[in-house]
Amino acid sequence: MILEGRGVTKCFGGVVAIDRVDFAVEKGEIFGIIGPNGAGKTTLMNLISRLHPLSAGEIRFRGRPLVEVPAHAVARLGIARTFQIVRPFPGMSVRENVAIGPLFGGAGARRSVLECLRRADETLEIVGLAARRDAPVTALTLAGRKRLELARALAMDPELLLLDEVMAGLNRTEVVEVKDLVVAINRRGVTIVVIEHVMEVVMSISRRILVLHHGQRIALGTPQEVASDERVVAAYLGKRYGQPRAEAPTL
Ligand SMILES: Nc1ncnc2c1ncn2[C@@H]1O[C@H](COP(=O)(O)OP(=O)(O)OP(=O)(O)O)[C@@H](O)[C@H]1O
Ligand SMILES: [Mg+2]
């Protein structure tokens, strides 16, 4: 197990955003998190990346409790993430935005600026943004900014990559491109936790899926298992994915 959560709980005032959730992510897998709006998906990711402190419970990364790690050092441990709301540094180029990741946070932090720019170029090549590297980030479309987010996280050489709705707002063609990219990154050996509302995608790429509802875990299993789980169908999937099926749907 690369990542393990036990009794993970987060309260905001009176709101229990994450309620005693247990989960474990295996090294090398794509682990999906799904659930209705407000279910607690982003909050769980914020707890893993230490953006928020836990209210109760424990999360371990490679066996080590994350509470022992200062929040700013999490990326250096090998955990990188994207944000649901993409906020690039507006005054900088695409390439400079990507170089910031390894410069300030990545696994091999304290590299030289030159090395970080080189790393940015390699990563922009992987995500298909190499031709735009000198463009101002403000010139990118939404799909471009999502790729930039992926590149910025990837440039940090993570062992574990947390993706929060990298496909939201993209058209069908762009969704397929980003899906293929996520699978390609996973094949390079990066374990991925992915929050996604595009069901065809999350069902086809995830090995296992955690389903949250009102902060609670209502299911955890293979795509086939969660798609045929009555509670999951009632809370989230509805009829379309609710039929028990032999295989995960593909795009
Ligand atoms: N910083 C915060 N302060 C107070 N409440 C918060 C905070 N962040 C999240 N919440 C609350 O926690 C609950 C879970 O929110 P969260 O953003 O994790 O949901 P989500 O599953 O990511 O939803 P979506 O699919 O809309 O992105 C919601 O009730 C939300 O209002
Ligand atoms: Mg969210």
Side-chain angles (χ1 to χ4, degrees), residues 86-230:
V86 184
R87 290 194 197 91
F89 295 96
M92 297 165 75
S93 70
V94 167
R95 186 184 189 221
E96 288 162 345
N97 262 273
V98 176
I100 281 179
L103 197 55
F104 293 109
R110 289 182 289 276
R111 283 183 275 210
S112 72
V113 173
L114 212 63
E115 275 175 89
C116 292
L117 286 170
R118 204 177 309 125
R119 179 72 193 132
D121 288 342
E122 282 167 23
T123 319
L124 287 168
E125 197 75 51
I126 296 168
V127 304
L129 271 183
R132 306 300 310 273
R133 70 172 212 185
D134 296 318
V137 276
T138 43
L140 293 179
T141 60
L142 177 66
R145 293 205 302 276
K146 297 277 185 176
R147 283 175 188 272
L148 173 69
E149 268 290 283
L150 267 171
R152 201 183 42 73
L154 202 55
M156 295 163 91
D157 283 323
E159 250 186 88
L160 177 66
L161 184 57
L162 311 172
L163 306 178
D164 194 354
E165 297 202 29
V166 279
M167 294 162 207
L170 304 187
N171 69 35
R172 214 178 152 73
T173 315
E174 292 163 345
V175 163
V176 175
E177 286 169 4
V178 173
K179 178 192 110 159
D180 290 345
L181 184 55
V182 170
V183 170
I185 291 169
N186 176 246
R187 293 219 174 104
R188 297 171 90 94
V190 182
T191 307
I192 297 179
V193 175
V194 57
I195 296 175
E196 203 45 76
H197 280 294
V198 184
M199 268 316 106
E200 292 93 332
V201 171
V202 77
M203 290 285 171
S204 68
I205 68 176
S206 305
R207 198 149 74 82
R208 292 178 315 130
I209 296 175
L210 165 66
V211 190
L212 294 176
H213 186 45
H214 295 312
Q216 295 181 337
R217 165 178 152 177
I218 59 167
L220 196 164
T222 63
Q224 295 91 321
E225 283 163 357
V226 301
S228 55
D229 185 297
E230 273 173 33

Side-chain angles (χ1 to χ4, degrees), residues 10-13 15-18 33-46 52 84 164-165 195-197 212 214-215 236:
K10 179 66 188 179
C11 308
F12 294 107
V15 177
V16 186
I18 290 289
I33 303 178
I34 63 172
N37 293 117
K41 304 179 298 293
T42 297
T43 301
L44 184 57
M45 201 163 268
N46 289 343
H52 296 319
Q84 186 168 358
D164 194 354
E165 297 202 29
I195 296 175
E196 203 45 76
H197 280 294
L212 294 176
H214 295 312
Y236 186 52

